[in-house]
Amino acid sequence: MKRLVTVLPILASLALAEGPLAAPKLRVVPARAVNASTREAVTGQLGPSKLLPLGFEVGGRLQVSRASKGEVVKAGQALGNLDPEIINAQVAQAEAGLLAAEAGAGLALDVAARNEKLKAEGSVSELQFRQTDTQAKAAKAQVAQAQAGVAQAKAGQRRHFLSAPFTATVVDAPDNVGGMVGPGTPVWVLMQLDPLILKVTVPENVRQELKAGQKVRVEAVGSGAASDEATIKVVLPSADPQTRRVPLEISVPNADGRFVANTLARVSIQLGEAKAAFVVPSTALSTSGGDHVFAVEQGVVKRVAVKVMERTNTTVTVQASVPMTQVVDYPTAAVTEGLKVSP
């Protein structure tokens, strides 16, 4: 509980011409003892674990769209297709050509086999046999070429239909059908939002304390949504050339959708073993001349140097050189070492 205390006049003889010097009022708050670890808190952007703009490999008129914005699609689920009328005709033409080639090859092979027997009996010359054998081989080659044409036409036919390669959320989709679509033009945009990936950088001296699979706490900057189940996915072995900090990727579970992709989030990473520490309001920490707080013990203010272990929006966890039970909140220039206060 916060208490107000009044500084006792140290020098009673000090007085202003208009009257005695008024004693400043101090706000004193408890310092909560805890066991805590040094933590590195950094902020980065939450992104989808997978992001894929999807378009057709061929051009055509968009005939059907089966996925709308915001919809969750499964792997293999149809997204839509182009008008297949022309490609269907090309497939039918290629299949007809294959049938004709197979019929011609059957006839040529039959003639070649018959001439081979006649050649053995001496009824057909070597030249005639070679001619029919060559024709049979050419017919077989035409069959193979026709088969390739069918495969190519069917491949083009499949390119008129698009399906989701993985389970994801549709974040962009066509509003209308009937328009022309060019080859490679993104028509749908898919994002895998569970898990999300938080990308941050940490100082080089922190890298040795981190390892893949280590759990960390992640908190959204805007909404305040948090998770203690986030894990370090990878610690890159190369520092960023501009900042000289080590990139870090963190996997953030998001099955319930509490986090929003492409927003800022803060990660708190534990470094080392837990040690005795104190939690005080962040407004009690002074930084002039080094991090310190003003502890109040037995009615006397004492300047105590501290080492910051963790920061939050409203509190700071510190290590102190001496035990503390209460500290001055919002210290001003009037607060000095040895200042006496009344209960």
Side-chain angles (χ1 to χ4, degrees):
M1 179 182 296
K2 298 181 179 179
R3 299 185 300 138
L4 289 177
V5 296
T6 303
V7 178
L8 294 176
I10 298 176
L11 299 176
S13 60
L14 292 179
L16 297 177
E18 292 80 0
L21 182 67
K25 293 183 178 181
L26 301 181
R27 185 188 301 271
V28 176
V29 295
R32 180 165 54 91
V34 296
N35 286 325
S37 306
T38 301
R39 289 181 174 269
E40 181 74 20
V42 287
T43 301
Q45 180 168 299
L46 281 169
S49 52
K50 291 181 181 179
L51 169 62
L52 182 63
L54 275 177
F56 298 95
E57 294 183 37
V58 297
R61 188 176 301 280
L62 184 63
Q63 184 182 58
V64 177
S65 176
R66 294 185 172 85
S68 56
K69 296 176 184 178
E71 181 181 350
V72 177
V73 294
K74 303 294 184 182
Q77 182 175 331
L79 298 176
N81 62 269
L82 302 176
D83 186 348
E85 182 179 3
I86 295 177
I87 191 63
N88 288 347
Q90 292 173 349
V91 170
Q93 184 180 15
E95 289 175 338
L98 175 59
L99 291 175
E102 288 175 339
L107 180 60
L109 289 171
D110 183 61
V111 172
R114 187 168 57 252
N115 282 355
E116 185 176 11
K117 292 180 181 179
L118 293 175
K119 176 180 173 293
E121 297 173 357
S123 301
V124 172
S125 66
E126 179 70 20
L127 179 60
Q128 289 176 317
F129 168 73
R130 287 183 177 278
Q131 287 177 340
T132 55
D133 185 61
T134 300
Q135 290 172 353
K137 291 178 179 179
K140 289 176 64 177
Q142 289 177 348
V143 170
Q145 185 176 10
Q147 289 174 336
V150 171
Q152 184 177 14
K154 288 187 175 181
Q157 188 180 49
R158 289 192 296 272
R159 298 300 184 272
H160 281 62
F161 296 82
L162 207 57
S163 58
F166 52 83
T167 299
T169 300
V170 180
V171 297
D172 196 13
D175 296 320
N176 300 294
V177 297
M180 295 299 295
V181 176
T185 302
V187 182
W188 291 271
V189 177
L190 304 185
M191 284 186 182
Q192 190 175 75
L193 303 179
D194 180 32
L196 294 174
I197 299 297
L198 176 61
K199 294 184 178 182
V200 296
T201 60
V202 295
E204 184 181 356
N205 62 343
V206 173
R207 179 176 178 269
Q208 301 302 323
E209 302 286 343
L210 307 177
K211 60 181 179 179
Q214 178 179 340
K215 286 192 175 183
V216 294
R217 177 177 176 81
V218 171
E219 181 177 348
V221 173
S223 66
S227 173
D228 293 312
E229 299 302 316
T231 57
I232 296 176
K233 181 180 179 183
V234 61
V235 182
L236 297 182
S238 176
D240 182 273
Q242 278 76 39
T243 63
R244 309 301 180 193
R245 292 168 64 91
V246 178
L248 192 68
E249 292 188 5
I250 298 168
S251 179
V252 183
N254 194 37
D256 56 2
R258 70 178 71 178
F259 295 101
V260 179
N262 299 318
T263 59
L264 295 179
R266 183 181 297 107
V267 58
S268 179
I269 305 171
Q270 179 177 330
L271 306 174
E273 299 295 328
K275 300 177 182 178
F278 300 91
V279 177
V280 299
S282 55
T283 50
L285 180 67
S286 298
T287 58
S288 177
D291 291 340
H292 64 276
V293 296
F294 289 99
V296 178
E297 300 296 337
Q298 297 181 348
V300 178
V301 174
K302 182 177 182 180
R303 186 183 190 274
V304 179
V306 297
K307 178 183 178 181
V308 176
M309 302 179 69
E310 182 182 5
R311 298 176 189 267
T312 69
N313 291 335
T314 58
T315 64
V316 60
T317 304
V318 298
Q319 279 184 285
S321 56
V322 296
M324 301 186 300
T325 57
Q326 53 187 1
V327 295
V328 177
D329 199 10
Y330 295 98
T332 64
V335 180
T336 59
E337 175 87 15
L339 194 65
K340 293 183 179 181
V341 298
S342 63

PDB file of all heavy atoms in Angstrom, residues 49 71 78 103 137 140 156 182 203 221 269:
ATOM      1  N   SER A  49       3.915 -18.063 -40.035  1.00  0.00           N
ATOM      2  CA  SER A  49       4.966 -19.070 -40.221  1.00  0.00           C
ATOM      3  C   SER A  49       5.120 -19.430 -41.687  1.00  0.00           C
ATOM      4  O   SER A  49       6.197 -19.848 -42.124  1.00  0.00           O
ATOM      5  CB  SER A  49       4.646 -20.321 -39.393  1.00  0.00           C
ATOM      6  OG  SER A  49       3.322 -20.784 -39.648  1.00  0.00           O
ATOM      7  N   GLU A  71     -11.284 -17.161 -44.696  1.00  0.00           N
ATOM      8  CA  GLU A  71     -11.616 -18.583 -44.598  1.00  0.00           C
ATOM      9  C   GLU A  71     -10.353 -19.401 -44.326  1.00  0.00           C
ATOM     10  O   GLU A  71      -9.278 -19.110 -44.850  1.00  0.00           O
ATOM     11  CB  GLU A  71     -12.274 -19.050 -45.888  1.00  0.00           C
ATOM     12  CG  GLU A  71     -12.697 -20.515 -45.886  1.00  0.00           C
ATOM     13  CD  GLU A  71     -13.326 -20.927 -47.197  1.00  0.00           C
ATOM     14  OE1 GLU A  71     -13.609 -20.038 -48.021  1.00  0.00           O
ATOM     15  OE2 GLU A  71     -13.527 -22.142 -47.408  1.00  0.00           O
ATOM     16  N   ALA A  78      -9.589 -27.166 -52.834  1.00  0.00           N
ATOM     17  CA  ALA A  78      -9.655 -26.377 -54.063  1.00  0.00           C
ATOM     18  C   ALA A  78      -9.882 -24.907 -53.741  1.00  0.00           C
ATOM     19  O   ALA A  78     -10.714 -24.559 -52.892  1.00  0.00           O
ATOM     20  CB  ALA A  78     -10.770 -26.898 -54.956  1.00  0.00           C
ATOM     21  N   ALA A 103      -2.673 -46.789 -83.573  1.00  0.00           N
ATOM     22  CA  ALA A 103      -3.199 -47.634 -84.653  1.00  0.00           C
ATOM     23  C   ALA A 103      -2.160 -47.806 -85.764  1.00  0.00           C
ATOM     24  O   ALA A 103      -1.932 -48.925 -86.275  1.00  0.00           O
ATOM     25  CB  ALA A 103      -4.480 -47.024 -85.206  1.00  0.00           C
ATOM     26  N   LYS A 137       9.713 -48.800 -86.273  1.00  0.00           N
ATOM     27  CA  LYS A 137      10.365 -48.010 -85.237  1.00  0.00           C
ATOM     28  C   LYS A 137       9.885 -46.562 -85.268  1.00  0.00           C
ATOM     29  O   LYS A 137       9.684 -45.930 -84.225  1.00  0.00           O
ATOM     30  CB  LYS A 137      11.870 -48.068 -85.398  1.00  0.00           C
ATOM     31  CG  LYS A 137      12.463 -49.441 -85.082  1.00  0.00           C
ATOM     32  CD  LYS A 137      13.965 -49.462 -85.305  1.00  0.00           C
ATOM     33  CE  LYS A 137      14.543 -50.841 -84.967  1.00  0.00           C
ATOM     34  NZ  LYS A 137      16.002 -50.894 -85.205  1.00  0.00           N
ATOM     35  N   LYS A 140       6.540 -46.379 -83.644  1.00  0.00           N
ATOM     36  CA  LYS A 140       6.653 -46.411 -82.180  1.00  0.00           C
ATOM     37  C   LYS A 140       7.064 -45.035 -81.637  1.00  0.00           C
ATOM     38  O   LYS A 140       6.569 -44.600 -80.595  1.00  0.00           O
ATOM     39  CB  LYS A 140       7.665 -47.472 -81.756  1.00  0.00           C
ATOM     40  CG  LYS A 140       7.191 -48.902 -81.967  1.00  0.00           C
ATOM     41  CD  LYS A 140       8.273 -49.906 -81.608  1.00  0.00           C
ATOM     42  CE  LYS A 140       8.634 -49.846 -80.145  1.00  0.00           C
ATOM     43  NZ  LYS A 140       9.634 -50.871 -79.786  1.00  0.00           N
ATOM     44  N   GLY A 156      -1.274 -28.950 -68.683  1.00  0.00           N
ATOM     45  CA  GLY A 156      -1.876 -27.632 -68.854  1.00  0.00           C
ATOM     46  C   GLY A 156      -3.284 -27.583 -68.306  1.00  0.00           C
ATOM     47  O   GLY A 156      -3.712 -26.558 -67.756  1.00  0.00           O
ATOM     48  N   GLY A 182      -3.517 -13.231 -65.624  1.00  0.00           N
ATOM     49  CA  GLY A 182      -2.265 -13.496 -66.311  1.00  0.00           C
ATOM     50  C   GLY A 182      -1.464 -14.580 -65.621  1.00  0.00           C
ATOM     51  O   GLY A 182      -1.656 -14.855 -64.427  1.00  0.00           O
ATOM     52  N   PRO A 203      21.695  -8.980 -28.177  1.00  0.00           N
ATOM     53  CA  PRO A 203      23.129  -8.697 -28.136  1.00  0.00           C
ATOM     54  C   PRO A 203      23.955  -9.982 -28.266  1.00  0.00           C
ATOM     55  O   PRO A 203      23.515 -11.064 -27.876  1.00  0.00           O
ATOM     56  CB  PRO A 203      23.319  -8.045 -26.762  1.00  0.00           C
ATOM     57  CG  PRO A 203      21.981  -7.540 -26.378  1.00  0.00           C
ATOM     58  CD  PRO A 203      20.991  -8.490 -26.983  1.00  0.00           C
ATOM     59  N   VAL A 221       2.272  -6.168 -27.921  1.00  0.00           N
ATOM     60  CA  VAL A 221       2.416  -4.793 -27.457  1.00  0.00           C
ATOM     61  C   VAL A 221       1.067  -4.077 -27.429  1.00  0.00           C
ATOM     62  O   VAL A 221       0.753  -3.350 -26.488  1.00  0.00           O
ATOM     63  CB  VAL A 221       3.410  -4.023 -28.355  1.00  0.00           C
ATOM     64  CG1 VAL A 221       3.436  -2.539 -27.990  1.00  0.00           C
ATOM     65  CG2 VAL A 221       4.803  -4.627 -28.234  1.00  0.00           C
ATOM     66  N   ILE A 269      13.291 -13.122 -22.302  1.00  0.00           N
ATOM     67  CA  ILE A 269      14.122 -14.326 -22.348  1.00  0.00           C
ATOM     68  C   ILE A 269      14.897 -14.451 -21.050  1.00  0.00           C
ATOM     69  O   ILE A 269      15.627 -13.528 -20.654  1.00  0.00           O
ATOM     70  CB  ILE A 269      15.106 -14.276 -23.538  1.00  0.00           C
ATOM     71  CG1 ILE A 269      14.338 -14.044 -24.838  1.00  0.00           C
ATOM     72  CG2 ILE A 269      15.924 -15.550 -23.621  1.00  0.00           C
ATOM     73  CD1 ILE A 269      15.230 -13.767 -26.027  1.00  0.00           C
TER      74      ILE A 269
END
